[in-house]
Amino acid sequence: MKDIEKFIGGFRRFQHKYFGEDTRLFESLKRRQKPKTLLIGCSDSRVDPAILTDCDPGDLFVVRNVANLVPPFETGGQYHGVSAAIEYAVKSLKVRQIVVMGHSACGGIGALMAGDDASNETDFIGSWVSIANPAKQQVLAELDYKSPEAQVRACELAAIIVSLDNLMSFPFVAERVAAGELALIGWYFDIQQGALFQFNPDVNAFEAVVEAPDNGVTAE
């Protein structure tokens, strides 16, 4: 129960800040939300997007799932939580950018690289992370000489690109990108370094946009 008490105390501080000292922000948010950014992040407890970006309530429309993955566009099946959120953000909220944010030490990508069996019908994780199989196959083909740790990191980066590519399979996303009304951005948070990297499609590599506090190392 200590955790719950901690969370309740945190809510009281939130309440004091936004409903006590200065109510202007939530006076507008009470009526509607109008975020300009959809951020697709990982469910990992260490990578809360609002905390990492130090933003205000209403700034981000957030989707979080295991390994920050975007499935390809398809209309079969019954449940499309991530796809529904993307559709709402793009078509209703008309966001201006979609950020896919991965991170180091990702358990979902680790499970993918470890070869967890996605054929088991009760293995929800294995089935879900198989979305990033193209990233895994690329890493195994090109970096078979690397250590398992280096391969996992490479897959974490490559999986972000897979999700960016999958976003473009949604017709309403591709249409707005082509019209210059929507930008797709890939971020990678290095937990060990405390650094942020962004995918540069011109050079097909991730580059530091916020370097580590004591050194600047570019992700490869």
Side-chain angles (χ1 to χ4, degrees):
M1 294 297 292
K2 287 184 178 179
D3 284 344
I4 299 302
E5 289 301 320
K6 175 182 177 181
F7 302 151
I8 292 173
F11 184 84
R12 289 195 181 99
R13 291 188 293 274
F14 160 82
Q15 180 190 61
H16 179 72
K17 179 176 181 180
Y18 291 106
F19 290 84
E21 292 180 342
D22 188 346
T23 63
R24 287 175 296 177
L25 176 59
F26 268 88
E27 284 303 320
S28 63
L29 291 178
K30 287 175 184 176
R31 294 186 290 274
R32 66 187 179 99
Q33 62 169 325
K34 47 183 179 180
K36 298 302 181 186
T37 301
L38 163 62
L39 192 146
I40 301 170
C42 185
S43 300
D44 192 300
S45 62
R46 301 166 293 179
V47 293
D48 186 299
I51 293 175
L52 293 180
T53 59
D54 192 25
C55 65
D56 288 324
D59 286 345
L60 293 176
F61 188 73
V62 178
V63 177
R64 298 181 70 178
N65 61 59
V66 173
N68 45 268
L69 296 174
V70 175
F73 175 81
E74 56 95 9
T75 57
Q78 297 179 338
Y79 306 110
H80 300 283
V82 174
S83 300
I86 293 169
E87 180 180 48
Y88 182 71
V90 173
K91 298 177 72 173
S92 297
L93 296 176
K94 300 189 183 305
V95 296
R96 298 291 299 179
Q97 51 265 332
I98 301 176
V99 178
V100 177
M101 184 176 70
H103 66 97
S104 61
C106 179
I109 297 300
L112 173 68
M113 291 301 294
D116 287 3
D117 186 8
S119 64
N120 186 337
E121 64 180 9
T122 62
D123 179 14
F124 297 116
I125 293 176
S127 177
W128 174 253
V129 298
S130 68
I131 292 170
N133 261 331
K136 175 181 178 179
Q137 297 308 316
Q138 178 186 354
V139 169
L140 293 178
E142 298 177 1
L143 302 175
D144 60 320
Y145 59 93
K146 293 279 190 178
S147 68
E149 294 77 15
Q151 289 182 350
V152 169
R153 180 181 176 89
C155 191
E156 291 164 349
L157 295 166
I160 296 171
I161 301 172
V162 168
S163 286
L164 292 174
D165 290 341
N166 285 346
L167 278 169
M168 287 297 290
S169 70
F170 288 78
F172 49 85
V173 171
E175 179 181 345
R176 289 198 60 207
V177 170
E181 298 172 348
L182 180 65
L184 306 184
I185 300 166
W187 278 359
Y188 181 78
F189 169 46
D190 189 313
I191 294 176
Q192 287 74 23
Q193 296 185 52
L196 181 67
F197 300 87
Q198 181 168 306
F199 180 64
N200 182 346
D202 294 333
V203 296
N204 194 35
F206 283 81
E207 300 173 335
V209 289
V210 181
E211 296 184 344
D214 55 351
N215 60 62
V217 179
T218 301
E220 298 178 347

